[in-house]
């Protein structure tokens, strides 16, 4: 299997050269259908459009044709993080404060390994959240195995596309 840390070190400068922030590098699909997933975003919009994905995909492909860091055949997938995006960096928990997230922990905290909670922000390297029936919780960032935003009306409104190019019809109600 590919070394994700090594791949990230190769990919991050390519994303930065295009003005993008790298969100996640991951390998999925196992041996039957390995896919290298690269998520990136424009820091000012938190999105990528199709042309951005294409540009980053080309840069990565050209680099990997030269350095060949993955032995087996694989598929390259470059995308924007999407609406219910993964929270992979410490700063994501601050950037998305006020929104709801599903957080899975590596080890139980107060007897629980999963929380659905409102992100409150950071206190040093500690993620602060508020969960119904539990109250405010402080989660050490290092204990978070995975986290992603939960799709809500507030999140949809906050992440509305910057461009409607390609949409057949946009209708607004109310």
């Amino acid at each position: 299997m590919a070394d994700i840390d090594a791949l990230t070190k190769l990919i991050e400068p390519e994303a930065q050269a295009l003005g993008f922030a790298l969100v996640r590098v991951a390998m999925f699909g196992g041996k039957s259908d390995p896919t290298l997933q690269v998520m990136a975003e424009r820091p000012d919009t938190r999105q990528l459009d199709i042309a951005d994905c294409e540009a980053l995909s080309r840069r990565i492909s050209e680099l990997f044709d030269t350095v060949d860091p993955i032995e087996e055949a694989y598929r390259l997938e470059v995308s924007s993080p999407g609406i219910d995006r993964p929270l992979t960096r410490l700063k994501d928990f601050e950037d998305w404060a006020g929104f709801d997230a599903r957080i899975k922990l590596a080890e139980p905290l107060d007897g629980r390994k999963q929380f659905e909670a409102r992100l409150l922000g950071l206190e040093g390297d500690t993620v602060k959240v508020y969960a119904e029936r539990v109250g405010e919780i402080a989660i050490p960032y290092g204990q978070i195995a995975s986290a992603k935003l939960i799709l809500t009306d507030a999140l949809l409104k906050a992440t509305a596309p910057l461009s409607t190019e390609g949409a057949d019809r946009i209708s607004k109600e109310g």
Side-chain angles (χ1 to χ4, degrees):
M1 195 48 100
D3 180 344
I4 297 301
D5 289 337
L7 293 174
T8 300
K9 286 177 184 166
L10 289 170
I11 294 168
E12 192 157 30
E14 300 302 318
Q16 289 173 342
L18 293 169
F20 308 149
L22 195 59
V23 173
R24 176 168 77 185
V25 175
M27 189 67 92
F28 296 104
K31 292 186 185 246
S32 64
D33 188 27
T35 299
L36 176 63
Q37 180 192 66
V38 177
M39 285 186 182
E41 65 185 1
R42 288 186 172 278
D44 58 338
T45 64
R46 298 182 181 156
Q47 300 177 12
L48 289 184
D49 63 24
I50 291 172
D52 294 336
C53 292
E54 183 180 6
L56 183 54
S57 179
R58 281 196 178 121
R59 283 189 80 111
I60 294 168
S61 293
E62 289 171 5
L63 173 65
F64 282 19
D65 284 347
T66 304
V67 298
D68 198 19
I70 302 173
E71 292 181 21
E72 64 273 357
Y74 66 96
R75 178 183 348 195
L76 175 61
E77 173 188 298
V78 175
S79 69
S80 177
I83 295 171
D84 54 347
R85 64 184 295 129
L87 303 171
T88 60
R89 305 163 294 185
L90 185 61
K91 74 181 214 74
D92 291 339
F93 294 92
E94 185 76 45
D95 289 349
W96 292 97
F99 293 96
D100 296 336
R102 181 171 295 113
I103 302 171
K104 295 180 182 177
L105 305 179
E107 298 293 325
L109 179 66
D110 297 332
R112 298 178 62 177
K113 283 186 77 172
Q114 182 169 308
F115 295 91
E116 287 193 12
R118 172 83 27 108
L119 298 174
L120 300 177
L122 297 174
E123 200 170 275
D125 285 349
T126 301
V127 176
K128 305 286 275 185
V129 300
Y130 178 83
E132 292 289 327
R133 293 179 284 178
V134 178
E136 192 170 306
I137 305 161
I139 304 172
Y141 176 70
Q143 286 190 352
I144 297 174
S146 67
K148 67 181 271 181
L149 292 177
I150 297 173
L151 192 60
T152 62
D153 289 340
L155 183 61
L156 285 170
K157 185 176 181 182
T159 58
L162 298 175
S163 168
T164 57
E165 183 180 330
D168 291 335
R169 187 177 79 175
I170 304 283
S171 63
K172 294 185 179 181
E173 294 183 26

